[in-house]
Amino acid sequence: MLGRIAAIAGNAFREAVRDRVLYNLVLFVLLLTGAAIFIGELSGGQERKIIVDFGLSAMLLFGVFIAIFVGVGLVYKEIERRTIYAIFSKPVGRGEFVIGKYLGLCLTLFVNLLLMGAGVSLALMYVSRGWEPLALSIWPAILLIYFELLILTSVALLFSSFSSPALSALLTFFVFIIGHFSSDLKSLATSLGGTAARFFFRAIYYVLPNLANYSFITSAAHGQRPTAANLLAAVLYALIYVIVILAATTLVFSRRNFK
Amino acid sequence: MIIAGENMLTTAPDQSRRTFALLLVMIVGTIGIVFMARWLDSRRTKPDPTFEQEKLYVTGQTVRRLSLSFNGLVADWYWMRALQYVGNKVLNTPEDVQFGDLSQLDLRLLAPLLDTATTLDPQFMEPMEYAAIVLPEVDMQEAIRITKKGIAANPSAWRLYHLLGYIYWRQREFQAAGEVYGQGATLPGAPRWMEAMKARMATEGGSRNLAREIYTRMYEEPGDSKVKEMARRRLMQLDSLDERDEIRRVLSLFQSKANRCPSSWREIESVMRSLRLTLDSTGAPLDPSGAPYVLIKANCDVDLGAKSEVGFK
């Protein structure tokens, strides 16, 4: 089973590379160079903070776009091209297919973030004219960004398993936005008078991913790192969330009739 | 030769001609775009200055919510906007305005910009420092509020207590300044002079010596380069005030003895040398920026020269 999942994941990664997804790195490098050289000058001596804010925000933004737009097409493209029949004519389970596709995109995002993170670290060392502690201390924040993207990718995959790519992309983008407003949902739930409304908003708060757990860019720009306990809890939360979403995706996908 | 592609009948020379024509269109078009953009820019009416001064309708808290995970980046943008705002005001003012004397500029947006930047990123020290040093000349209460907000968000940052104490000292609220310095002095890592500053606020609040001490600390502490520059200028002004007091004493002594004002600096050159003042080749004493002081014979007084960089008279 693991071999089949690995084969599908490898194919999904190769497909992303063939689709020139990693070309966004070129744009990222250009943005970062521009930020390091030009925006830094306008910041009143705050080049390092600007590079970290700019670099990590771009990593998140680019990652979100990849997770959404590539994620929603993972399954849909196979159905559209009818290659899914060829895949399922072989001894491949639908769950294996979903997990394989998901892991393939995770690998793409991993390579993407790794290279972008290295770019940010190098840019920091460039403006510092040597070793810069921030170049190392930003990596826990990058790890959190990665796990946020893993959650978002799973959500995109879930929507794409029963909806069109455009609608899936829109819904995933909404989840990304609402995920950052989770604390508001919680406070809304506590401030509402009616029990039903309170229950409803509390349920939404727990069902939707709390992406605020992964917002550490601003603190990282000041050289701060999340505590080991917080980092571990956020990673664990993401893993559990992803498992639940992938299970739901497999459930929906296994009920689809491709005849 | 026939080229395979969208049109099977296209030959190689045709293809080259088409490529050349397309490149030509692109180049000519780009030149045209540049030309048109410049033409439009030259005819664009200047924006109404009241638009520029329009207040920020969205509060820092709202911007923080809307910025999702990007609040640090948005804080940077507000910070740079604040710097650009002050910079543009300075550039568009006919008189040469010095940093640290911005009261004559209408900087009504500065407080909301700095407030938003520090709400978006409460650990962003530079806007807070800027608020404490520059904002008091524009809006004292906002400067105090933003610095207090910074202290609430960073209770262990002794430097913010130093800045708040500085604002109170400028407001001549020496007791409040002393209390703030006292609070800051108890924090871990606070330098020992914070405690001394508390005592000095009570005994010599308005003195020039205390002012020198405060600006020296600001100059020596690692921090924003603009704040350091302001502290350097303030120290020059204090030195110049001391020098002018000395020169006035010499002039007064000469006047009481000779019953007239010296006709030139030469006449009191030796006395000024004994005071260890730096003199130029004409015997004129030099201010801390290296420009000669001016002798005002009409009322036997001394003043800064036109080329002086000390700034304030």
Side-chain angles (χ1 to χ4, degrees):
Chain A
M1 186 179 86
L2 287 176
R4 288 192 294 272
I5 291 174
I8 294 167
N11 267 323
F13 176 70
R14 274 193 293 277
E15 197 181 335
V17 174
R18 266 202 305 274
D19 285 348
R20 298 175 179 88
V21 169
L22 297 177
Y23 272 25
N24 75 92
L25 291 169
V26 177
L27 185 63
F28 178 78
V29 167
L30 289 175
L31 274 174
L32 207 62
T33 313
I37 297 168
F38 301 114
I39 300 180
E41 278 181 22
L42 302 173
S43 63
Q46 296 302 300
E47 295 93 345
R48 288 170 202 79
K49 180 181 166 8
I50 302 269
I51 286 174
V52 175
D53 281 334
F54 202 83
L56 298 197
S57 298
M59 284 167 82
L60 177 59
L61 204 64
F62 282 42
V64 166
F65 281 127
I66 293 173
I68 292 178
F69 291 108
V70 180
V72 298
L74 282 177
V75 176
Y76 185 82
K77 264 162 59 177
E78 301 286 358
I79 299 169
E80 187 76 0
R81 290 186 204 147
R82 300 181 190 282
T83 43
I84 203 156
Y85 299 109
I87 295 167
F88 288 146
S89 65
K90 295 184 174 70
V92 175
R94 295 201 178 184
E96 291 167 353
F97 176 75
V98 167
I99 295 169
K101 283 283 182 187
Y102 174 75
L103 292 180
L105 186 50
C106 290
L107 184 63
T108 311
L109 288 167
F110 180 77
V111 172
N112 210 43
L113 286 196
L114 197 69
L115 295 175
M116 285 178 170
V120 175
S121 293
L122 285 175
L124 284 167
M125 287 195 272
Y126 167 74
V127 293
S128 301
R129 303 276 185 270
W131 173 245
E132 166 60 51
L134 269 177
L136 199 64
S137 65
I138 56 168
W139 284 92
I142 295 175
L143 186 72
L144 286 175
I145 291 174
Y146 181 62
F147 277 92
E148 178 172 351
L149 297 177
L150 293 194
I151 292 176
L152 218 57
T153 307
S154 68
V155 172
L157 203 59
L158 171 65
F159 286 134
S160 71
S161 68
F162 62 84
S163 170
S164 69
L167 189 63
S168 303
L170 196 68
L171 291 172
T172 314
F173 191 65
F174 284 158
V175 169
F176 172 67
I177 291 175
I178 298 168
H180 282 279
F181 284 103
S182 289
S183 55
D184 290 316
L185 282 174
K186 198 179 181 184
S187 53
L188 195 66
T190 46
S191 60
L192 282 172
T195 318
R198 212 164 38 223
F199 179 78
F200 175 73
F201 281 106
R202 199 172 287 261
I204 288 184
Y205 169 71
Y206 287 116
V207 167
L208 290 173
N210 187 349
L211 299 179
N213 293 328
Y214 303 90
S215 299
F216 209 76
I217 297 174
T218 309
S219 303
H222 296 293
Q224 294 176 350
R225 296 171 205 206
T227 60
N230 278 353
L231 192 68
L232 208 66
V235 169
L236 202 63
Y237 174 87
L239 291 177
I240 295 170
Y241 201 92
V242 165
I243 289 169
V244 170
I245 296 289
L246 287 184
T249 310
T250 309
L251 193 69
V252 174
F253 196 61
S254 58
R255 283 164 184 268
R256 277 194 72 166
N257 190 353
F258 295 113
K259 284 177 188 168
Chain B
M1 187 184 150
I2 305 290
I3 303 287
E6 56 182 273
N7 185 351
M8 292 298 285
L9 296 173
T10 309
T11 57
D14 282 348
Q15 185 78 12
S16 302
R17 268 198 294 277
R18 186 190 288 177
T19 307
F20 178 74
L22 287 171
L23 282 173
L24 196 68
V25 167
M26 284 165 68
I27 292 166
V28 172
T30 308
I31 294 168
I33 288 167
V34 173
F35 177 76
M36 286 306 294
R38 288 172 67 111
W39 187 83
L40 286 166
D41 284 346
S42 67
R43 273 152 187 82
R44 187 167 292 138
T45 49
K46 279 199 167 182
D48 187 341
T50 51
F51 287 163
E52 192 192 317
Q53 291 284 36
E54 207 167 5
K55 70 172 185 176
L56 306 180
Y57 292 108
V58 188
T59 63
Q61 284 298 343
T62 311
V63 178
R64 191 183 165 90
R65 281 181 179 185
L66 294 177
S67 60
L68 305 176
S69 271
F70 308 109
N71 52 315
L73 189 66
V74 184
D76 296 342
W77 183 77
Y78 271 95
W79 164 236
M80 285 191 278
R81 205 178 144 194
L83 292 179
Q84 299 297 309
Y85 175 65
V86 176
N88 284 336
K89 285 277 186 184
V90 171
L91 288 176
N92 294 330
T93 307
E95 303 95 52
D96 181 24
V97 177
Q98 309 274 357
F99 184 89
D101 180 32
L102 304 172
S103 52
Q104 49 191 299
L105 302 177
D106 183 16
L107 291 170
R108 70 184 85 160
L109 277 188
L110 184 60
L113 285 171
L114 294 174
D115 186 34
T116 309
T118 50
T119 303
L120 283 162
D121 186 352
Q123 290 165 318
F124 199 178
M125 289 294 167
E126 281 67 25
M128 284 176 211
E129 221 166 84
Y130 202 72
I133 304 295
V134 179
L135 205 52
E137 290 169 20
V138 183
D139 189 336
M140 185 66 83
Q141 292 315 311
E142 275 299 288
I144 292 172
R145 194 183 64 76
I146 292 173
T147 313
K148 278 185 173 173
K149 188 178 75 174
I151 288 174
N154 307 277
S156 58
W158 63 265
R159 199 167 157 72
L160 290 174
Y161 287 87
H162 172 37
L163 294 171
L164 185 60
Y166 166 73
I167 301 174
Y168 281 131
W169 170 75
R170 284 192 61 169
Q171 226 180 349
R172 304 190 73 78
E173 288 183 27
F174 303 126
Q175 195 187 339
E179 282 169 14
V180 172
Y181 272 111
Q183 287 166 12
T186 60
L187 295 173
R192 293 173 78 178
W193 54 260
M194 288 279 285
E195 187 62 40
M197 205 68 95
K198 175 191 170 187
R200 289 185 70 180
M201 281 292 167
T203 54
E204 44 179 321
S207 78
R208 212 177 274 172
N209 276 342
L210 185 60
R212 182 171 281 110
E213 170 88 19
I214 288 174
Y215 289 120
T216 305
R217 296 301 177 195
M218 277 184 182
Y219 184 71
E220 286 172 353
E221 286 299 326
D224 193 89
S225 59
K226 291 181 291 307
V227 174
K228 277 178 176 288
E229 175 58 18
M230 183 278 293
R232 192 184 68 84
R233 280 184 179 276
R234 292 287 197 200
L235 286 170
M236 278 204 311
Q237 287 156 17
L238 289 168
D239 289 343
S240 173
L241 286 171
D242 284 352
E243 285 172 0
R244 278 178 275 172
D245 283 350
E246 293 280 355
I247 296 168
R248 281 192 189 104
R249 261 196 292 277
V250 174
L251 289 171
S252 167
L253 201 67
F254 183 94
Q255 200 173 20
S256 63
K257 278 184 182 171
N259 217 15
R260 65 175 175 85
C261 194
S263 56
S264 71
W265 288 118
R266 279 268 183 249
E267 285 192 76
I268 51 171
E269 187 180 344
S270 57
V271 190
M272 285 193 296
R273 273 196 203 284
S274 69
L275 291 172
R276 297 191 176 178
L277 289 168
T278 316
L279 309 181
D280 69 2
S281 56
T282 65
L286 299 176
D287 71 21
S289 71
Y293 283 110
V294 177
L295 178 63
I296 303 166
K297 290 175 200 162
N299 48 355
C300 206
D301 199 4
V302 60
D303 202 355
L304 291 170
K307 288 182 181 171
S308 172
E309 287 176 26
V310 171
F312 303 101
K313 299 252 169 170

